[in-house]
């Protein structure tokens, strides 16, 4: 005769884990199973069930321990990151320890749009640093409701993940996790996508949200760090580089030119009779003059060059891969632009001019300190010979 006992962790309406299987007992004899035999079989089934549940709990505990260790390792890397790019990479690496995904992306919110700042999948060049609207997208819903979506992580394509971006249609698993800190506004979102199905468990989602919360903190700190770094090298009055940034840029350009055996040029300029301007029209107007001259510098220099305010009314321009003729051309264009400025104080026109000294590495010298001193002396010659002019050290040295 045959007897079967379901291995279940509770009554049908109370089961937490469902059925484990069925214990089947068979024997040659045809008589019915006695009450004692049924009790023994049930007791055996209960013992098997307990062993199965214990094994399951041990397995889940081990998996959870391993998962927590992965999260811990990922958070360690994330906490060590300082700048934004390092934070993005560390967050993606932390997620990669947990999830076998095909795509990781980080998008940051800017008022009514968001920008993909990190992207590890295909089509990176076409997507990175592009701006997308928040409306009519799953990412927009995540920002609005401050929750991870979709609920099941299975992507059905009913709503675009990112408005105007169709690449997510090729993925079957998608998870968009908000970057948020307690009561602060959502600052961005993590996007995880995979071509496979059912790769994210609820436990995994919770761990991802822990990483996302830490990433939000680190991104906020990295933004603050970058602002502090920028403030440290920016002149507050003009918005151009300050003396510290100039010294750093000067040394870097000098070392590059030495390695390449190529030229670069230095221009030092000074606002003519600036003390008289300050004394006559006041310091606020003097500040306006400095700001206007700095604006002309920004318009003249190329990407890769450096314009800096290195003193009260003194400025410097570093021109990479530029010989003396090119530097003199830049100096003259700058001088003429300043000369054409229309500045007024209480209705009175105030003429403003600058004098400039120009040197070239290695034509004038291959010594960094001497190069600066020669430019300064050329500037002195420009002032002594009538102001409002550009003088090359090569012509007077």
């Amino acid at each position: 005769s045959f007897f079967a006992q379901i291995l279940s962790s509770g009554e049908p309406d109370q089961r937490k884990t469902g059925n484990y299987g069925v214990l089947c007992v068979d024997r040659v004899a045809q008589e019915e199973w006695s009450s004692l035999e049924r009790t023994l079989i049930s007791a055996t089934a209960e013992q098997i069930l307990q062993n199965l549940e214990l094994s399951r709990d041990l397995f889940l505990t081990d998996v959870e321990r391993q998962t927590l260790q992965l999260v811990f390792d990922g958070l360690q890397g994330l906490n060590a990151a300082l700048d934004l790019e390092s934070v993005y990479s560390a967050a993606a690496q932390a997620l990669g320890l947990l999830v076998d995904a095909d795509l990781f992306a980080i998008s940051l919110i800017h008022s009514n749009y968001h920008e993909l700042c990190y992207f590890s999948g295909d089509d990176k060049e076409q997507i990175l640093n592009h701006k997308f609207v928040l409306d009519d997208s799953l990412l927009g819903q995540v920002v609005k409701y401050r929750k991870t979506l979709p609920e099941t992580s299975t992507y059905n394509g009913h709503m675009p993940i990112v408005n105007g971006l169709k690449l997510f249609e090729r993925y079957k698993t998608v998870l968009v996790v908000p970057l948020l800190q307690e009561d602060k506004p959502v600052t961005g979102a993590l996007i995880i996508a995979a071509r496979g199905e059912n790769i994210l468990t609820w436990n995994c989602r919770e761990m991802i949200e822990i990483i996302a919360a830490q990433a939000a903190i680190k991104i906020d700190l990295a933004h603050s760090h970058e602002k502090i770094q920028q403030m440290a090298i920016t002149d507050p009055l003009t918005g151009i580089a300050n003396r510290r940034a100039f010294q750093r840029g000067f040394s870097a350009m000098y070392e590059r030119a030495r390695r390449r055996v190529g030229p670069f040029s230095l221009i030092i300029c000074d606002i003519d009779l600036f003390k008289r301007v300050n004394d006559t029209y006041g310091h606020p107007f003097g500040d306006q003059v400095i700001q206007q001259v700095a604006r002309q510098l920004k318009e003249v220099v190329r990407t890769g060059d450096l314009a800096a305010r290195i003193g009260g009314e003194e400025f410097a321009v570093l021109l990479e891969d530029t010989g003396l003729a090119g530097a003199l051309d830049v100096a003259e264009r700058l001088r003429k632009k300043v000369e054409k400025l229309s500045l007024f104080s209480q209705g009175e026109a105030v003429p403003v001019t600058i004098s400039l000294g120009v040197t070239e590495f290695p034509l004038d010298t291959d010594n960094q300190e001497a190069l600066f001193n020669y430019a300064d002396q050329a500037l002195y010659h420009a002032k002594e010979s009538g102001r409002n002019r550009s003088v090359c050290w090569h012509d007077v040295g």
Side-chain angles (χ1 to χ4, degrees), residues 180 199 208 261 268 273:
L180 54 84
I199 68 165
I208 290 171
V261 195
I268 296 179
L273 303 172

Side-chain angles (χ1 to χ4, degrees), residues 277-291:
V277 172
N278 260 342
D279 292 344
T280 304
Y281 304 103
H283 289 279
F285 181 77
D287 287 348
Q288 291 180 36
V289 172
I290 290 172
Q291 289 170 336

Side-chain angles (χ1 to χ4, degrees), residues 80-280:
L82 288 177
D83 61 277
L84 280 171
E85 290 302 323
S86 297
V87 171
Y88 299 153
S89 297
Q93 289 173 8
L95 292 169
L97 293 173
L98 278 177
V99 186
D100 185 20
D102 299 299
L103 179 153
F104 293 109
I106 298 175
S107 190
L108 298 185
I109 309 301
H110 304 275
S111 61
N112 62 339
Y113 70 91
H114 66 101
E115 181 178 1
L116 287 166
C117 302
Y118 179 88
F119 193 88
S120 67
D122 301 331
D123 307 314
K124 178 178 179 178
E125 299 304 321
Q126 291 83 359
I127 294 165
L128 201 60
N129 298 321
H130 278 56
K131 297 176 176 61
F132 301 91
V133 297
L134 285 166
D135 298 336
D136 302 321
S137 67
L138 190 66
L139 194 146
Q141 296 293 301
V142 166
V143 173
K144 181 178 180 180
Y145 296 110
R146 301 170 63 86
K147 64 180 293 188
T148 301
L149 293 173
E151 296 289 352
T152 63
S153 76
T154 299
Y155 183 51
N156 54 28
H158 291 164
M159 177 179 284
I161 304 299
V162 174
N163 194 331
L165 203 56
K166 294 184 177 181
L167 71 90
F168 291 100
E169 295 175 356
R170 71 186 74 158
Y171 299 100
K172 294 180 179 179
T173 298
V174 174
L175 198 68
V176 185
V177 187
L179 297 174
L180 54 84
Q181 304 177 57
E182 296 182 355
D183 296 331
K184 292 185 178 180
V186 177
T187 56
L190 294 178
I191 306 174
I192 302 168
R195 293 182 176 87
E197 295 181 286
N198 303 319
I199 68 165
L200 298 174
T201 63
W202 277 105
N203 186 50
C204 187
R205 287 169 67 110
E206 291 175 355
M207 298 302 175
I208 290 171
E209 287 174 344
I210 290 173
I211 292 174
Q214 188 63 23
I217 294 170
K218 291 299 297 184
I219 288 172
D220 190 33
L221 289 174
H223 274 302
S224 300
H225 181 72
E226 285 196 353
K227 287 179 182 177
I228 292 170
Q229 290 287 88
Q230 192 61 35
M231 288 171 62
I233 60 172
T234 302
D235 175 59
L237 179 63
T238 62
I240 64 174
N242 61 13
R243 188 176 188 88
R244 177 187 295 181
F246 166 75
Q247 290 171 333
R248 188 184 302 171
F250 188 21
S251 295
M253 196 174 292
Y254 173 75
E255 291 300 329
R256 284 196 299 271
R258 274 208 319 166
R259 288 195 300 269
R260 291 197 303 251
V261 195
F264 80 93
S265 293
L266 169 64
I267 301 171
I268 296 179
C269 63
D270 188 278
I271 301 173
D272 295 328
L273 303 172
F274 184 73
K275 185 178 183 304
R276 183 187 298 176
V277 172
N278 260 342
D279 292 344
T280 304

Side-chain angles (χ1 to χ4, degrees), residues 15-28:
R15 292 172 185 163
K16 297 179 181 178
T17 59
N19 298 331
Y20 283 92
V22 179
L23 172 63
C24 299
V25 183
D26 198 5
R27 65 184 178 187
V28 177

Side-chain angles (χ1 to χ4, degrees), residues 57-108:
D57 291 342
L58 289 173
F59 173 75
L60 291 177
T61 300
D62 188 54
V63 169
E64 187 171 317
R65 181 187 62 78
Q66 293 178 28
T67 302
L68 288 172
Q69 184 62 49
L70 290 174
V71 172
F72 177 76
D73 292 343
L75 290 176
Q76 271 193 318
L78 190 55
N79 287 332
L82 288 177
D83 61 277
L84 280 171
E85 290 302 323
S86 297
V87 171
Y88 299 153
S89 297
Q93 289 173 8
L95 292 169
L97 293 173
L98 278 177
V99 186
D100 185 20
D102 299 299
L103 179 153
F104 293 109
I106 298 175
S107 190
L108 298 185

